[in-house]
Amino acid sequence: MFAAYVTITVFASVLNGSAAVVYLIGHEFPKAQADMKGLPRSWVPVLGMLLAAGSLGLLGGFAVPMLGTLAAAGLVLYFIGALLAHLRVGSRKLANWAGFFATAVAALAVNLGYHWS
């Protein structure tokens, strides 16, 4: 179980950390996504910071297990919000969302399984 916990947690952290960087450097993709979903562009850096916090929280969970659990749960909630934003505007392009969401759910599951079972 430890190997799965470490592998999935590190993968989820890298995935969300790379997304956070894209959001925080001002890349056009997140801006276009915000426009498509009818969100203000001023939210893009905030969303990037939330992704960065989740990514760092997952890694911090190796030292403080509750931090990792809360970070994983926060990422799951973040991506539920992203789904709602997609559905609100009728977007059915959910392949990227599904990958990120599945990774966040997997991180939460292994975190709960490893630390709290």
Side-chain angles (χ1 to χ4, degrees), residues 16-110:
N16 287 289
S18 64
V21 168
V22 170
Y23 274 65
L24 294 171
I25 65 171
H27 193 275
E28 279 303 311
F29 178 75
K31 292 176 186 175
Q33 288 293 305
D35 293 343
M36 184 265 299
K37 294 176 187 103
L39 300 174
R41 283 192 172 196
S42 62
W43 286 20
V44 171
V46 174
L47 295 172
M49 290 301 294
L50 290 172
L51 288 169
S55 176
L56 293 173
L58 287 173
L59 295 178
F62 290 124
V64 182
M66 182 59 75
L67 178 62
T69 302
L70 292 174
L75 286 169
V76 169
L77 292 174
Y78 176 96
F79 288 111
I80 289 172
L83 174 64
L84 295 175
H86 274 274
L87 296 178
R88 183 175 61 90
V89 297
S91 172
R92 300 292 183 250
K93 296 179 180 178
L94 299 173
N96 287 340
W97 171 84
F100 277 91
F101 182 69
T103 304
V105 168
L108 180 59
V110 296

